[in-house]
Amino acid sequence: MTNEDQFQVATYKKMPIAAERGEGVWIYTNDGERYLDLYGGHAVAGTGHCHPHVVNALREQAGELLFYSNLVYSSARARAAEKLVSIAPRNLTKAFFCNSGTEANENAMRMARMSTGREKVITFSGGFHGRTADAISATFLGKYREIGKPNVPGHLEAEFGNIDSVRELADDTVAAIMLEPIQSMAGVRMAQSDFYRALRTLCDERGIVLIYDEVQTGVGRTGEWFFAGSATGGGVVPDVVTLAKALGSGVPVAACLVTDAISSHIKESDLGTTFGGGMLAMAAVTATLEAIENDRMLANVKTVEAHLRQGLREVEQVVAVHGLGFLLGIEFNDKAAPVFQALLEQKIITGTSSNPKVLRLLPPLCLEKEHVDLFVDALTRICTC
Ligand SMILES: Cc1ncc(COP(=O)(O)O)c(C=O)c1O
């Protein structure tokens, strides 16, 4: 730990844990301790740590070809693109692969500008979209826009859940409306399904591209493959969905899923990135989606979410449970930070949020009821101390 502090830029607030090995929902340290990971390495370990199907696929691909660029065809890339499109809502028919969530959002906004010939983008207070120039300028949360100065012009802020605040801004200079359909970092905030439907209608009426940033909500986290098209989201399908985090089970990979209408505006060399669509990343995508399917993880998320909500009802200090599936915000009647700390001392990793009263859970999709019971028991002990 000391060496890392000495040689790495001190930009991360770290837990006093050195993670050396992982298996399913568990993280092991070198001194033989194990931690229940309800944070999933920041929503990345969707299939759990080191899922054998993913690890085997990576081993095999590593022995064949690690990387070649998009200037050649690849069966690994073809398989990943086809698999991803096959699980997406029907009108999202094409994928563009890149490397991180912020890059996916930058490319989504770029495609919206190219396909509309307009420049402005509306996003929402409380939304987080990444740290590169355009994405951080679209992030109206805490100090992010400040750190990202000078900001990219043309970013407008609306109020999440308030369609009138969007209508006021959505004139014919607006290319896109982009949102985290469930605002994770803001404390796991979800709108009513009417709001998503009204956004879809507004975009259709005014020729605006609707982008869902599903970097956290995508790839099964809500108990559906995507928030897009889900009943909770009013069945709304946006024009672009961005994905990252859990898409490669820990191998860096991201994607934009787009409609034919959007992709028809993109010409040769309009978009690109060296590493996007590399073979190792593509093998990770295919194996991740297969593992979720083979192990019926979507159904598991729904069953175990219900069990968790039931358990949390017994904890007096919990005033609300926000979110969906395995993107949950537990709201306490007081500050969540001491609870986070006490859970860590009991070897359970959770997450905080920008809402001081909300503790975030982003566990692997293979979390089981027995793990939930360990968590609820620990929480009960902490809360009755
Ligand atoms: C909703 C959302 N969008 C975008 C990003 C940025 O992703 P990345 O860190 O991979 O650039 C994040 C990261 O936390 C996120 O939560």
Side-chain angles (χ1 to χ4, degrees), residues 278-294:
M279 285 74 197
L280 200 65
M282 295 297 96
V285 170
T286 306
T288 295
L289 302 178
E290 287 172 349
I292 293 172
E293 233 165 33
N294 296 346

Side-chain angles (χ1 to χ4, degrees), residues 42 100-102 105 128-130 180 213 215-216 245:
H42 203 39
S100 65
T102 196
N105 288 336
F128 180 82
H129 300 293
E180 271 185 278
D213 172 344
V215 166
Q216 293 217 13
K245 293 212 190 282

Side-chain angles (χ1 to χ4, degrees), residues 133 136-137 143-152:
I136 209 167
S137 303
K143 62 176 185 180
Y144 289 105
R145 271 173 64 85
E146 191 56 37
I147 350 174
K149 289 232 158 117
N151 293 140
V152 173

Side-chain angles (χ1 to χ4, degrees), residues 302-315:
K302 289 186 177 162
T303 311
V304 178
E305 176 200 4
H307 185 70
L308 176 55
R309 283 181 182 273
Q310 181 64 34
L312 289 171
R313 270 190 214 117
E314 311 299 319
V315 186

Side-chain angles (χ1 to χ4, degrees), residues 17 47 57 114 142 157 163 191 210 276 344 384:
I17 301 172
T47 55
M114 284 173 165
E157 178 185 13
I163 194 65
L210 184 60
L344 195 59
T384 45

